[in-house]
Every structure is written in C-alpha cells, then in structure tokens.
Amino acid sequence: MTDTPLERCVSIGDVRRLAKRRVPLPFFDLIDGGSGNEVTLRKNEAAFEQIELFPHYARDVSQITTKTKVLGAELDFPFILAPTGAQGMVHPDAEIAPAKAASEAGIMYSLSTFAMTSIEQLADVCSGSKMFQLYALTDEYTTTEMIERAKAANYDALCITVDSPVNAGLERVDRWGLNAAVGIPPLGTIFEILRKPVWLWTQRGVFQNRLPDVAKRIADRGGEIGPDFFDRIIRKDLTWDHVSEIAKRWDGPLAIKGILRPDDAQRAIDAGASCIIVCNHGGTNLDGTPASISVLEDIVATVDKHTEVIQCGGIRRGNSIAKAIGLGATATMAGRPFLYGLAAAGQAGVARTIDILRKEFEIAMKLCGATRISQLPSNVGNIHIEDEKDRQSRHVEKTASNVLKADF
Ligand SMILES: Cc1cc2nc3c(=O)[nH]c(=O)nc-3n(C[C@H](O)[C@H](O)[C@H](O)COP(=O)(O)O)c2cc1C
C-alpha cells in the first residue's frame, strides 16, 4: 500500500481531518471556526441537506460538459476559490499554491486584500483566471492604488466585499490568544503548536510577513500599524455611492460579495455590479444570518437576466454545487474546503480538494440526467406529482435565464 494520506482522502471531510492532524489546533481553528455560537456556520452546510435533487433517468449522459463562463472568464466547472486572508498561516506556500492549483484545474482564483502574496506576485504565478477581492479601506490612497494595480496586472474581475464593516472575531481563536494583537501566546497555545514540530519548521519566517498589499504598503508610507489594525483599516462608512465610485474606476466585471437580501442585490446592481455573490462570509461575521443557499432563489428572482449570481458558503460536496446551480446560481464559491487542502498538503492538497468536488459534481450531473449545467434547474425543488408541471415551469423560467447565459 503506497497511497499517501492525501491520496486516501476521498471526501472534503477526509481532507479536513488530515488538515487537523497536520496543523496545530490554534491555526486549524483559524480556518475552521465561525463567529458567535457558529449557528450560521452550521446552517450554511446543513441547509444543503434540505434541498432535494429529482433525477431524470434514461437520458444519454455519456457525454456531458461542465464548462461555464462567469465574470468574463471561462471555467471548466462552475466553481471558484473564494478570497480568504493570510493563507500562509497554515502553509508557507500561502496564496501561490491554491492559485496554481486553480489554474491547472481551469477555475478562477480570488486574491484577498489581506493576502500574504502581493497582487503582482500572484499574477505572475496564476496562469488561469483571477479576481481581486477588495475591502474598501480607511486609507483611500491604498484602496485606489490596489484597484489600479489589479487592473495593471490583468485581473479578470474585481470583487468588493461589503459584509464586514467590523471584524466579529472567532471565539475559538480568541481562546487560543491568537488574534491580530500579536504578542506571546499563552503557554497552552505554545504547547499545542510545539506538538507539530514539522509544521512549525516549515512555517519559519512566515509570520514576519506584513500583508504586502495593505500593512506593508501603509507602513511604508508612514502609517501606523497597531494591534487593532484590522478594525481600524476597514472603512465603516462605506455606502453604495462609494461602491459606485469604485465600480467606475474599475470599469470591468465587478462582483459584490456579501449579499443576503434582494433589495441589497438591486442596490449593488444600481451601483454597477455585474455579479452578486450571495454570501454570509462563511459564518465568520454576523452569526444568526440565514444560510446563504436559503436566500439564493429569492435573489436570483430579483436580479435582471444580465446579472450573474455566485453562491458562496457551505459547499462540501459536488452535489451541493449542482443544487446551487439548480437554484439559479451562475457559479459557486468555497473557502474552507481548499484551505483544508492547503493546510493538509499545500498545492497537492488544494488540487485534491478541487478534484474531489469536480468528480462529485460530474457524478451528480450524470445522475440528474443533465448534460449541461443549464439543465440542472429542472432537477431541484420539492416536486409534488400533482403540481409538478406548474412548479417546473415557474422554477425553470426563474432560474434558467441566469444559468443559461453562462452555459456553453
Ligand atoms: C479563514 C477565512 C478567511 C477569510 N477571509 C476573507 C477575506 O479576506 N475576504 C473575503 O471577502 N472573504 C473572506 N472569507 C470568506 C470567504 O471568502 C467565503 O465567503 C467563505 O469561506 C465561504 O464559506 P465556506 O468556507 O463554507 O466555503 C474568509 C473565510 C475564512 C474561513
């Protein structure tokens, strides 16, 4: 038996368990935890279980295509790696490894404002499609500069995250004493970290990284980087007018991330968005929001047929991707699944994560009797025999326009 532990991972749950074994618990909790009671975090995943798939059988599924187009970029299947900050906290290859894995898999990578790799360094290694995620900062000069730098480095799209005027914090991480206020952690935390000497050795030097696009840039210009840096740096007075100004400056495919209400989706479109990312930040900001998948259909029903919708949060299975597409999403996005892969085994771990989800998605499509993603809307929902025809016509009408325009 020569299989490596990574090769023995057959589900995202397995990859998560491997990550937990490889990375000290305080750092695992940093990627795994949610805010408050973690109600939203749990709901995001659980809500997918309530959605049923209704297969069509005896259809020729010997040839299927999972290709799609979103934000002007072609994807081999409707899945995007979500922006997540400071990926180097779990693996020294930080953002470089997932970006390479995404390019090789033919999907899009999203670089966070709080990445440990700069906009330009990432562009150099990412041969596939890429999106830059922007937090509007109190330092307007740095915000504008990031937009211009992303444009110059040929990012396919910009994504403005609007759901985090404050950092809710993760209690699991606070208990370990690992927050932005860097100091000497408590003894128990040091003990946990020392239990993973191989990880600690590979991480040497990583923690000196100053977040090149923000902290380092601001410090270089004489700005103050204090312990409450994260909370001070994000603009709390952001309005749709500011979003509209950013949209004009960017002047390209623009996604607004963190939308949970149809009225906010409309405001985002009015401000210049071409894509809505339905998302509650993976249950890491306001605990108590609905699962993102449970509000997707209402948002799809509100937006015009030119607006794309990305479903973000709670995806741990390929059939969840099928469900989201079936409910009208143009594509899907996930954070933790690939962070587990990164923590478990760097680029190979991320590649494994993508591969698992892609294979599960293809199986789900074939078992649904769908040869193209635009057919999935006819597979989702509560079909009662007596009103099936009516339900299908309503549902397909509402959702297919959104998926169809992205389907090859
Ligand atoms: C550790 C971590 C860091 C994150 N950092 C960012 C970020 O910098 N910018 C952002 O827009 N979203 C960020 N998010 C939210 C993700 O983009 C995404 O919405 C979330 O992970 C989706 O939920 P999932 O993990 O269940 O897929 C982060 C999420 C996690 C777990």
Side-chain angles (χ1 to χ4, degrees), residues 111-152:
L111 182 75
S112 162
T113 293
F114 293 126
M116 293 168 103
T117 309
S118 77
I119 292 172
E120 293 79 10
Q121 280 173 313
L122 195 284
D124 283 348
V125 298
C126 185
S127 54
S129 53
K130 54 195 178 298
M131 167 152 72
F132 179 65
Q133 177 267 323
L134 181 82
Y135 281 118
L137 305 181
T138 46
D139 182 330
E140 283 191 51
Y141 178 89
T142 303
T143 308
T144 307
E145 191 191 45
M146 284 193 289
I147 299 165
E148 296 302 332
R149 287 168 57 210
K151 221 191 267 185

Side-chain angles (χ1 to χ4, degrees), residues 30-31 44 82-85 112-114 133 135 161 257 279 281-282 284 312-316 333-337 339:
L30 202 61
I31 57 171
N44 267 357
T84 66
S112 162
T113 293
F114 293 126
Q133 177 267 323
Y135 281 118
T161 300
K257 181 170 181 282
C279 182
H281 222 93
T284 60
C312 177
I315 289 169
R316 303 292 181 269
M333 201 179 226
R336 290 184 187 82
L339 290 177

Side-chain angles (χ1 to χ4, degrees), residues 100-377:
K100 284 185 175 169
S103 299
E104 281 174 16
I107 61 168
M108 184 184 269
Y109 179 77
S110 321
L111 182 75
S112 162
T113 293
F114 293 126
M116 293 168 103
T117 309
S118 77
I119 292 172
E120 293 79 10
Q121 280 173 313
L122 195 284
D124 283 348
V125 298
C126 185
S127 54
S129 53
K130 54 195 178 298
M131 167 152 72
F132 179 65
Q133 177 267 323
L134 181 82
Y135 281 118
L137 305 181
T138 46
D139 182 330
E140 283 191 51
Y141 178 89
T142 303
T143 308
T144 307
E145 191 191 45
M146 284 193 289
I147 299 165
E148 296 302 332
R149 287 168 57 210
K151 221 191 267 185
N154 292 322
Y155 279 68
D156 297 85
L158 183 75
C159 152
I160 308 174
T161 300
V162 294
D163 62 11
S164 306
V166 290
N167 177 11
L170 309 177
E171 288 182 8
R172 289 200 219 172
V173 174
D174 291 345
R175 282 190 199 101
W176 288 115
L178 278 189
N179 52 29
V182 183
I184 298 190
L187 271 180
T189 307
I190 295 175
F191 174 72
E192 273 305 319
I193 295 171
L194 290 176
R195 289 177 59 189
K196 307 283 161 143
V198 176
W199 179 87
L200 192 57
W201 175 251
T202 58
Q203 288 294 112
R204 67 196 183 283
V206 171
F207 300 118
Q208 274 79 54
N209 185 302
R210 307 278 311 270
L211 305 186
D213 291 330
V214 279
K216 184 170 182 313
R217 217 85 181 171
I218 292 170
D220 285 352
R221 291 182 31 249
E224 192 203 335
I225 311 291
D228 57 347
F229 173 70
F230 283 90
D231 258 342
R232 274 189 299 111
I233 194 176
I234 294 191
R235 215 180 156 148
K236 291 176 184 51
D237 61 352
L238 183 78
T239 64
W240 290 111
D241 287 341
H242 297 131
V243 173
S244 170
E245 281 164 30
I246 295 173
K248 286 192 192 104
R249 179 173 286 281
W250 171 252
D251 194 24
L254 175 73
I256 303 294
K257 181 170 181 282
I259 300 294
L260 291 172
R261 310 167 51 114
D263 54 355
D264 270 356
Q266 192 52 55
R267 288 183 189 105
I269 295 166
D270 295 343
S274 52
C275 177
I276 302 296
I277 304 183
V278 179
C279 182
N280 52 29
H281 222 93
T284 60
N285 57 19
L286 180 61
D287 195 30
T289 61
S292 51
I293 188 68
S294 68
V295 297
L296 173 70
E297 229 183 334
D298 284 347
I299 291 177
V300 168
T302 306
V303 303
D304 59 73
K305 64 181 192 320
H306 305 291
T307 306
E308 297 170 337
V309 180
I310 294 174
Q311 158 62 32
C312 177
I315 289 169
R316 303 292 181 269
R317 288 281 180 190
N319 69 358
S320 298
I321 301 177
K323 290 173 182 179
I325 300 295
L327 288 172
T330 320
T332 60
M333 201 179 226
R336 290 184 187 82
F338 87 86
L339 290 177
Y340 299 143
L342 177 66
Q347 185 177 336
V350 180
R352 182 81 181 161
T353 300
I354 299 171
D355 200 44
I356 289 170
L357 289 173
R358 182 208 297 267
K359 284 199 177 118
E360 288 180 352
F361 177 60
E362 284 173 359
I363 290 171
M365 273 191 65
K366 287 178 186 168
L367 288 173
C368 278
T371 57
R372 310 160 75 80
I373 71 166
S374 61
Q375 293 168 349
L376 285 168

